[in-house]
Amino acid sequence: MIKCKFVRYCYFIVLCGIHLLESHAQDLRHPEAYIQAYDSAYRYPYPKRWDVIELIHPVLFKHLGTKEGLLFRNKIEELAARHHKDEKGVLIAQISKMDYLQRTSKVPLSEFENWYKMCINEAERLGFEEIKASFAFLYAANLTLNYQKDVLALYYLHKSVEYSEATKHIISPIRREMLFVGLSRIFYQFDDFASAINYGKEVEKYNLGVAYQFLTLDVIGTSYLKTKSYQNALLYFNKGLKMYQKFFAKDSSKLGWKGILVGKKAHVYKAIGQLDSAIYYYKIGIEDTRKHQLLDNTCGFAINLADIYLTQKKIKELAPLVTLAQESTRKQGNEFDKFQLHQLLSRYYTSVGNFPLALQHKDSTRFWDDVLEERRGKNVQIQADLQLETERRRNTELRLVENIRQQQISRIVAIVIVLLLSLVVFVLILRQKLLIKVKEKELEIQRQEVERQNLIEQEKAKRDLIIAQMKLEEFTNIIIAKNRQIELLRAENTKTDDSFSIQQLRNNTLLTDEQWENFKNLFDKVHVGFLHQLREKIPGISPAEVRCMALAKLRLDNKEMAFSLGISVNAVRNVWYRLRKKIDLPEDATWGDIVDMIS
């Protein structure tokens, strides 16, 4: 009841929204001007939105019955979906468009196949699983109606059921009902009466469209009749008649429906041997269907009533029924009606003694029996081929799934290998970095050790230098002190210049070769490179001159140098004279000038 209220409410919204549009002349060149007609649908989420869209579509510009007009309103539906950025709505428009095109003109099979595959793939991409059942059903219905691809049609009917079952928790009740209505009717056309009954009963669970429910009751009842389940057939024909009285008795477009159900009830009564009831209902059925030009039903009812009259030998009542049966069968009868008609006429002409006509119709009976047998064989073959096709496709799907699984496994293995290789590379890089860090640390330790050793060496050198300087200063001071002491002793001992004490003091200051080596080592530490530079700048300098220059570097005068070297002052002057000549110095030059020149 709530769902019915929802449908009526949506229908009211649609009518209100479209009223203003229909009050003006439409320009079929500009469908984009009318997309607001679908705004009411976009107030709802899916699945309700789909229901409202399909309620709007048949009402929108319903007076435009031409192909251009129908395609025009379909274009509005598609543009509205694109305007609202609703990709699912575009797919719904695709269904409406293809359904109309297939009903009005046969679309080339390759184009139809491509359309189906594209729509199914798009539905999968969008996650719009509930629409796949509708695509598969539309595809299946047209495969059998327009392309005579019965095996594929049955295959895709089952795919439609599969899609529907997979999405039954989200699919709209309207969609489910419409699908089961269609499934029931198409399975009936394939003589699959068990499936027709099964899906027809599903329709009974819904309370949405009474017209669809009424037609489905007829399909269920007829399927029971075909399977000789007569009580069930009678039950469903009676349900249909009650619904007819409640909903359609005053609908002029559906007045012939009553005659169809009544005539089928007559079939049931004839089958169970209640011939009086059968005759009563056949008469009503024949009158009603004939009156409303439903001759495809009239012929069957007339043939079966005539058969009863022939069995009862009511020849008078039989003749007009034979004529009616022939006329209605010729106009709208199917293969089974023609078989029954010729079977009846063969018996009829035999009963009236017209054996040539009886034989002629007997031959026709055999012909149509062969046609029906071929049809039955075809249906059996279709079912067998369906099993093979289903098995083939299932194997193909399994192989595809297996290939996908293998690809996934291969992808996972590849990813694992890449990850492992990446891990190995990472570990190697990390190890290399650690080795580099360790090496850098070792180098840093070595550098620090070298720096420490250098500092030690520097400290030692500084210490040695200080010691050397101190010894040189001490040596110099000793020489100066002793020289002064000698001067004092000379002053005090005026009697003689060469007193024993002075001579002894001088002997203590003589520089031996060993002393000179010790002195030179100390001197080199304090005045690094001086002696080397001296020999380079004054080639051929004598050892005595070197010793005088070393003492001159210490700023000793001639007397101090003489005392230190154990020679006379004149000897020092002679050394100075020779050295000045070697380097071509002026006469007023001093020892200090030469030292400064060397330094």
Side-chain angles (χ1 to χ4, degrees), residues 314-414:
K314 295 181 179 180
I315 304 302
K316 184 179 179 180
E317 291 88 344
L318 181 60
L321 281 173
V322 169
T323 302
L324 176 61
Q326 286 179 304
E327 180 182 350
S328 57
T329 301
R330 179 177 55 82
K331 290 181 178 180
Q332 295 185 16
N334 58 31
E335 295 167 348
F336 183 68
D337 294 328
K338 292 172 183 178
F339 166 76
Q340 284 191 314
L341 175 64
H342 288 291
Q343 190 178 51
L344 170 69
L345 292 175
S346 176
R347 291 176 56 214
Y348 171 68
Y349 285 116
T350 298
S351 67
V352 297
N354 190 340
F355 296 108
L357 280 178
L359 288 173
Q360 181 180 339
H361 287 293
K362 190 170 185 179
D363 288 339
S364 295
T365 300
R366 292 195 189 97
F367 171 78
W368 288 108
D369 185 42
D370 291 341
V371 170
L372 291 175
E373 186 61 32
E374 182 180 352
R375 176 183 167 184
R376 286 190 290 269
K378 181 182 177 181
N379 284 340
V380 172
Q381 185 63 43
I382 287 172
Q383 293 294 335
D385 290 344
L386 173 63
Q387 291 181 356
L388 291 175
E389 178 68 16
T390 303
E391 188 66 24
R392 183 182 68 81
R393 287 178 178 262
R394 185 180 294 112
N395 290 336
T396 301
E397 290 174 357
L398 289 174
R399 285 197 300 272
L400 179 61
V401 170
E402 180 62 21
N403 289 337
I404 293 173
R405 191 180 71 84
Q406 290 296 334
Q407 290 175 4
Q408 289 175 340
I409 292 173
S410 300
R411 191 178 297 114
I412 291 170
V413 170

Side-chain angles (χ1 to χ4, degrees), residues 19-244:
H19 176 72
L20 182 61
L21 294 173
E22 291 196 332
S23 63
H24 302 283
Q26 287 81 38
D27 183 357
L28 300 186
R29 294 173 299 176
H30 301 288
E32 66 276 2
Y34 306 101
I35 59 177
Q36 65 268 34
Y38 283 90
D39 285 350
S40 57
Y42 288 92
R43 299 175 188 173
Y44 300 96
Y46 284 100
K48 288 184 180 179
R49 182 183 299 175
W50 188 2
D51 297 336
V52 179
I53 288 173
E54 291 212 341
L55 284 170
I56 294 173
H57 186 76
V59 177
L60 181 65
F61 307 146
K62 61 183 178 181
H63 57 287
L64 298 177
T66 63
K67 179 178 180 178
E68 292 75 14
L70 290 168
L71 292 177
F72 173 71
R73 70 186 189 187
N74 182 263
K75 188 63 177 178
I76 296 173
E77 179 183 351
E78 181 180 348
L79 289 174
R82 296 189 185 279
H83 173 73
H84 288 279
K85 295 181 175 57
D86 181 13
E87 293 181 288
K88 292 182 178 180
V90 175
L91 279 182
I92 295 170
Q94 284 286 335
I95 287 184
S96 301
K97 181 179 180 180
M98 186 55 74
D99 182 44
Y100 168 72
L101 290 176
Q102 283 293 85
R103 284 188 287 106
T104 55
S105 58
K106 186 176 177 180
V107 177
L109 179 58
S110 59
E111 180 182 336
F112 189 47
E113 288 175 338
N114 291 335
W115 170 85
Y116 172 74
K117 292 176 183 177
M118 181 273 293
C119 290
I120 286 291
N121 291 335
E122 185 68 6
E124 289 180 349
R125 183 184 72 82
L126 297 175
F128 195 12
E129 295 293 320
E130 56 267 40
I131 203 173
K132 290 163 68 174
S134 297
F135 281 131
F137 177 77
L138 178 61
Y139 190 46
N142 283 283
L143 282 173
T144 185
L145 293 174
N146 290 325
Y147 308 105
Q148 289 73 53
K149 301 282 186 179
D150 294 332
V151 175
L152 284 180
L154 279 170
Y155 175 80
Y156 282 103
L157 282 178
H158 288 292
K159 289 295 289 184
S160 179
V161 173
E162 179 185 323
Y163 290 141
S164 175
E165 289 303 310
T167 57
K168 63 183 177 182
H169 59 291
I170 56 174
I171 197 169
S172 161
I174 294 177
R175 306 263 69 73
R176 292 272 288 178
E177 182 196 38
M178 292 291 292
L179 176 64
F180 290 139
V181 168
L183 288 171
S184 179
R185 296 182 68 178
I186 293 183
F187 276 118
Y188 174 80
Q189 292 172 5
F190 278 108
D191 293 344
D192 186 350
F193 303 121
S195 295
I197 293 168
N198 181 41
Y199 293 114
K201 286 185 176 182
E202 288 291 324
V203 178
E204 289 188 279
K205 298 177 182 179
Y206 301 93
N207 187 26
L208 297 172
V210 291
Y212 290 121
Q213 288 195 5
F214 175 82
L215 294 174
T216 304
L217 290 175
D218 174 52
V219 171
I220 297 173
T222 307
S223 297
Y224 275 128
L225 180 62
K226 294 286 187 180
T227 56
K228 299 181 180 181
S229 182
Y230 299 121
Q231 292 302 320
N232 286 324
L234 194 60
L235 173 65
Y236 276 91
F237 290 143
N238 285 331
K239 281 185 178 182
L241 286 170
K242 288 180 182 179
M243 182 174 284
Y244 175 84

